[in-house]
Amino acid sequence: MPTLLVIWCILVGVLGNLQKGEGRIRHYRWDVKYEYKSPDCFKKLVITINGRSPGPTIQAEEGDTVVVEVNNSLVTENLAIHWHGIRQIGSPWFDGTEGVTQCPVLPGDTFKYQFVVDQAGTYLYHAHYGMQREAGLYGLIRVSPRQPEPFAYDYDRSIILDDWFHKSTYEQAAGLSSIPFQWVGEPQSLLINGKGRFNCSLSSPVTGICNATNPECAPYSQTVVPGKTYRLRIGSLTTLSALSFQIQGHKMRVVEADGHYVEPFEVENLFIYSGETYSVLVKADQDPKRNYWITSNVVSRNRTTPPGLAIFNYYPNHPMRSPPTPPPTPPAWDDVKPRLAQSLAIKARQGFIQKPPTTSDRVIVLLNTQNTINGYRKWSVNNVSFSLPQTPYLVALKDNLKDAFDQTPPPEGYDSVNYDIFSVQNNTNATSSNGIYRLEFNSTVDVILQNANTMNKNNSETHPWHLHGHDFWVLGYGNGKFDKDKDPKKYNLENPILKNTVPVHPYGWTALRFKANNPGVWLFHCHIDSHFYMGMGVVFEEGIHRLAEKLPSSIMGCGETKTFRP
């Protein structure tokens, strides 16, 4: 009888907390290790979480606390996991960014991440140590709202997109760090929910290395009931490729981007960049006697990778029954206009608009350039190639370890009058640094991302930039060189979308605004793995003095913090 009374009291307490709007605790235990997998029929070592790649989806409700205990069973590699889009308000030490907010998790160690998911939406997680994301350590986070959403659907499903390389991350990193420079090349396959199909006739004749009949690489099939409306949460964690996503014969109604409601608009091709998430509504309103192709295709790079293929399966057709018609023709890979048009179409939904401050306190212009420094090919920002320190910035700043990183801040702009963004530049003054930008707490900051020509003639690449610890307002996009006098007059201050990841298009600019109101140290970087590895990023510090007196000892143990752990 006393036991029943205790259970009753616990249930009453839980119900009371839920009625007050207090969140639940969602507990996950993950074992991260290498396993041989064949996601595109080609067998290679893949980083798995509990035997899976992509890893398990984290599901929570707005206001919940997520606890993830990660055991590093990689044997010979360190580890860190970033919770992409989660702002980490009050928990900057659990952002999961090695060198910025924590020391890496050593082989054999277990690390506990704990954070509140403070807003509903679709988010991501992935490795943030070296180039491990390319090896398959990634997944989705779905946070449901406490309030009704402004759109209706019958079923909620998720699709995660990736590109896939057969070379190991070590081989790729070694090539990027070599003289002469060896580029990673284009991906061998595109994956949809972790499944793709490589042409085995192109692979080595070694027995068993590529097997087209392996069930691991059978195409993903999304079963739908005729007449029903589906919310598809689509996230991209490609390591290089910008993508066009299509469902043959069906229009998609975009309703969410990076966790924020969008004024709805329809597309046939959804352009999606690494680090972005979207929710689209799709109605199963086509001929139910057949299946349809789901496709992903590379855009913004010369398309040599075959399309990613999955099946939009109308019940009761067999889920593996191939559609009777070829996959839809993708948009031209080098046509920037429709991609820019989609970027401009994304506005905050009426009734959910959070207007930005009308002016900013500081403007930082970041010129994206490619350089050669001491013979090594680098990506740079304002001719400074970023490098991570041995001691995490968060600890170094909190404990005033001034020798841990360069105290000279990076430049806040470039010679916009004389720099020609349309031609190859010598950039003879290029250098490397781990200096950071110190932002006044609660100030409003504008960042202008300016694209330019690479070290190849007539070439400018798309760069998706991701800001940790914040959402930012996307004030505008433009072609050519940003004009500091004219272009701010065109900013959208009425209904700009809030996002955490945004593209800067070839030979163009993108303008962002955010409030520096989240105490911590936050990385802002190109989300293409090889580009960040080569130096394309910056770091912002804000309100470090507002953090608790003592940081968690679990984030220490490297660099100047080797003696900080008990």
Side-chain angles (χ1 to χ4, degrees), residues 31-35 37 46-53 135-136:
D31 187 48
V32 177
K33 64 180 180 180
Y34 272 108
E35 297 184 56
K37 297 283 185 181
V46 175
I47 298 180
T48 65
I49 299 174
N50 298 345
R52 298 168 55 184
S53 175

Side-chain angles (χ1 to χ4, degrees), residues 97-382:
T97 313
E98 179 265 334
V100 179
T101 60
Q102 71 168 95
C103 292
V105 185
L106 299 178
D109 282 1
T110 297
F111 188 91
K112 183 172 78 171
Y113 291 99
Q114 181 170 323
F115 50 88
V116 174
V117 286
D118 66 296
Q119 57 185 12
T122 309
Y123 307 102
L124 304 160
Y125 66 82
H126 58 82
H128 221 300
Y129 177 81
M131 295 172 65
Q132 281 179 344
R133 192 175 93 223
E134 293 194 13
L137 204 171
Y138 64 92
L140 273 169
I141 303 172
R142 292 169 43 145
V143 183
S144 58
R146 291 185 177 274
Q147 300 298 323
E149 296 185 285
F151 44 83
Y153 50 89
D154 299 298
Y155 298 101
D156 192 341
R157 300 290 183 263
S158 302
I159 292 178
I160 192 163
L161 307 174
D162 193 16
D163 49 11
W164 197 245
F165 292 81
H166 291 171
K167 284 186 177 180
S168 71
T169 57
Y170 289 108
E171 290 174 286
Q172 294 185 52
L176 296 175
S177 306
S178 295
I179 300 176
F181 175 70
Q182 296 179 42
W183 176 233
V184 298
E186 300 304 309
Q188 278 66 57
S189 303
L190 299 179
L191 306 185
I192 300 178
N193 274 359
K195 293 175 176 289
R197 186 162 290 264
F198 178 68
N199 183 352
C200 287
S201 67
L202 302 177
S203 70
S204 165
V206 177
T207 304
I209 201 75
C210 194
N211 180 4
T213 64
N214 190 326
E216 285 186 28
C217 58
Y220 170 73
S221 182
Q222 174 59 65
T223 299
V224 296
V225 176
K228 299 297 184 181
T229 298
Y230 288 77
R231 177 185 187 166
L232 298 182
R233 299 174 186 259
I234 304 168
S236 173
L237 277 173
T238 54
T239 55
L240 175 65
S241 310
L243 298 175
S244 166
F245 177 84
Q246 293 176 263
I247 302 176
Q248 186 180 35
H250 296 73
K251 291 186 181 296
M252 295 175 283
R253 190 168 180 82
V254 181
V255 294
E256 180 217 348
D258 288 2
H260 292 276
Y261 297 133
V262 170
E263 188 63 27
F265 64 97
E266 284 193 343
V267 295
E268 291 184 0
N269 301 286
L270 177 71
F271 297 108
I272 185 167
Y273 305 91
S274 179
E276 286 191 315
T277 64
Y278 290 96
S279 283
V280 299
L281 300 183
V282 181
K283 188 169 184 179
D285 58 0
Q286 298 301 301
D287 181 1
K289 295 189 294 295
R290 56 162 290 181
N291 291 336
Y292 299 82
W293 291 112
I294 300 173
T295 66
S296 63
N297 279 278
V298 172
V299 292
S300 191
R301 302 184 66 85
N302 191 357
R303 186 182 296 134
T304 59
T305 307
L309 296 176
I311 296 173
F312 202 59
N313 163 234
Y314 271 67
Y315 180 83
N317 298 317
H318 193 282
M320 290 294 106
R321 180 182 172 190
S322 291
T325 51
T329 302
W333 70 267
D334 57 351
D335 189 354
V336 179
K337 288 182 180 178
R339 289 186 271 127
L340 179 59
Q342 178 183 298
S343 294
L344 291 168
I346 301 173
K347 306 287 196 303
R349 186 172 184 131
Q350 293 298 316
F352 297 88
I353 297 171
Q354 301 177 50
K355 287 192 176 184
T358 54
T359 59
S360 65
D361 301 303
R362 187 173 177 179
V363 179
I364 300 173
V365 181
L366 302 179
L367 175 69
N368 296 193
T369 60
Q370 207 174 46
N371 316 74
T372 298
I373 301 175
N374 298 324
Y376 293 96
R377 181 69 59 90
K378 295 289 184 180
W379 279 102
S380 302
V381 178
N382 294 340

Side-chain angles (χ1 to χ4, degrees), residues 394-516:
L394 185 63
V395 186
L397 287 159
K398 187 63 179 171
D399 291 350
N400 201 29
L401 306 175
K402 292 188 176 180
D403 292 333
F405 65 92
D406 187 349
Q407 298 296 304
T408 304
E412 300 206 3
Y414 72 105
D415 183 2
S416 60
V417 174
N418 297 308
Y419 194 98
D420 181 6
I421 67 168
F422 296 102
S423 63
V424 177
Q425 298 292 303
N426 289 329
N427 294 328
T428 52
N429 62 334
T431 185
S432 295
S433 172
N434 56 22
I436 66 172
Y437 296 101
R438 308 289 297 266
L439 306 179
E440 183 179 345
F441 184 72
N442 215 32
S443 63
T444 300
V445 181
D446 280 3
V447 175
I448 313 300
L449 295 167
Q450 176 65 65
N451 217 335
N453 205 96
T454 68
M455 296 188 73
N456 299 315
K457 287 184 179 180
N458 303 316
N459 176 255
S460 180
E461 299 188 14
T462 300
H463 301 288
W465 278 79
H466 170 59
L467 178 59
H468 294 222
H470 300 79
D471 293 329
F472 48 72
W473 289 279
V474 185
L475 302 184
Y477 300 85
N479 292 311
K481 191 180 292 185
F482 178 79
D483 187 315
K484 65 182 178 62
D485 297 316
K486 296 179 181 179
D487 288 324
K489 296 175 183 177
K490 306 172 190 174
Y491 283 170
N492 175 16
L493 301 177
E494 292 302 312
N495 60 349
I497 190 65
L498 280 160
K499 292 183 98 268
N500 61 64
T501 305
V502 70
V504 56
H505 295 287
Y507 297 114
W509 56 265
T510 303
L512 322 173
R513 179 169 293 173
F514 70 96
K515 292 284 289 184

